[in-house]
Amino acid sequence: MNHLLIFLKRPQTIIGIVTALAFQVIFSVVWMTGYQGANDRVKNFRIAVVNEDKVMGEQVVGKLRSSLPFDISETDRESAREELVNREVQMVLTIPADFSSNLQNPTASAKLLYEINESNPQMVKSVMDSAASSVTAALNREASAAGIQAVLEQSTLPPEQAKGAAAGLADRVRSETAYIHPVDGLNNQMVPMMMVIASFVGAMIMGMNMQQASAAVGSRMTKWQSFTARTVINAVSALLVSMLGSTLVLALGGKSAEGFMALWLFQSLFVWVFLVFSQMFLIVFGMAGMLFNITLLSLQLVASGAMVPRQMLGSGFQTAGDLLPATYAVEGLMNILFGGSLLGKDIVGLSAVALISLAVSAAVTAMRKTRHSDGSDEAVQRLETPA
């Protein structure tokens, strides 16, 4: 019992227990509220329709709007493809110019062309594949009904011709689905989420240890020398850590559409941003800043779109995602690993977070008359004195 009391009297033990409790509370609150009603927000998914059939095209589009729980918009082929690549729409449906003529021809099949971008969270492909099947099946039912009526009106057909006409009624509308930026396997699909989690958790732990090291050096450095040292260590560490991470991903079967160099440099950027972002809270609040970092870890996993498409989140979580670095890391990783649009938006977003974090950290450092330390000289001596 005395041994137990000795442990419980140590502040590190209490902090460890409180941290474990904080993880449970924070993750439960963020995830349960973040994903609440997510299935109902599938209506936020967008489908771009390229209508090239001037006869029945409008009728088809009208049926889509009335039967599908998605945002349906008409556009031209080039704009639709650009929006699909930029993940602004989740699917492009093309109604070919000969759709109505083929539908009215008993010997031909009408085709609908679907295009889906796999450079997205896995759920996007699943939902859009299901939607494409539903659209084709619904149009087939209508075409079959119309065909049956025509056969009945031509009931004088010889038996063999009637049998052939009836067989053709079951599948009058066919679908062709093309996938851009295909992803090879679930292991590759999950790489963006894995890299973001590993990088941010690593940045949190490194920041905590850097804060303790900063306290340990005490007055042997000025506050600006300590700040500069941390900044340099963060930059060098980001390059080295990312080199290992990118190498392992590709060595273990991962694919990078843009190659190793692009992956390494982009990971170096967002790992560095994670480091300066998470250490900002430690510089401002001391070790209590870890509570902010735990909260931000949970919030970013939900709001970044790494697991569930951001369109399925509430507006508050979508806004939070726009302000946090993990969103831009996930988007950029998808573009590099699977293919997609240029990285300009993602690099600008990450850079803005880094600059704001550095500015806040520098401002807090400047306002302190003496360099901040989480521990007293006695604590420093305990850290440096071997047991």
Side-chain angles (χ1 to χ4, degrees), residues 266-281:
F266 185 74
Q267 187 182 6
S268 298
L269 173 61
F270 72 73
V271 168
W272 174 69
V273 174
F274 287 170
L275 285 168
V276 298
F277 180 65
S278 60
Q279 289 182 36
M280 173 185 68
F281 296 99

Side-chain angles (χ1 to χ4, degrees), residues 338-387:
F338 312 141
S341 57
L342 298 177
L343 296 174
K345 176 183 176 182
D346 307 312
I347 292 174
V348 169
L350 288 168
S351 300
V353 173
L355 291 175
I356 293 171
S357 300
L358 287 172
V360 171
S361 299
V364 171
T365 300
M367 287 189 292
R368 291 198 173 106
K369 294 182 179 180
T370 57
R371 196 177 66 81
H372 176 71
S373 173
D374 280 329
S376 62
D377 292 337
E378 180 183 351
V380 172
Q381 291 173 5
R382 288 200 303 269
L383 287 169
E384 294 183 334
T385 303

Side-chain angles (χ1 to χ4, degrees), residues 276-294:
V276 298
F277 180 65
S278 60
Q279 289 182 36
M280 173 185 68
F281 296 99
L282 293 167
I283 290 173
V284 174
F285 301 106
M287 293 303 293
M290 286 300 294
L291 289 176
F292 289 90
N293 285 331
I294 294 171

Side-chain angles (χ1 to χ4, degrees), residues 95-117:
I95 306 173
D98 59 356
F99 178 82
S100 57
S101 59
N102 287 334
L103 194 62
Q104 295 168 3
N105 184 353
T107 63
S109 295
K111 291 183 179 179
L112 290 175
L113 308 178
Y114 302 96
E115 199 169 15
I116 299 172
N117 184 5

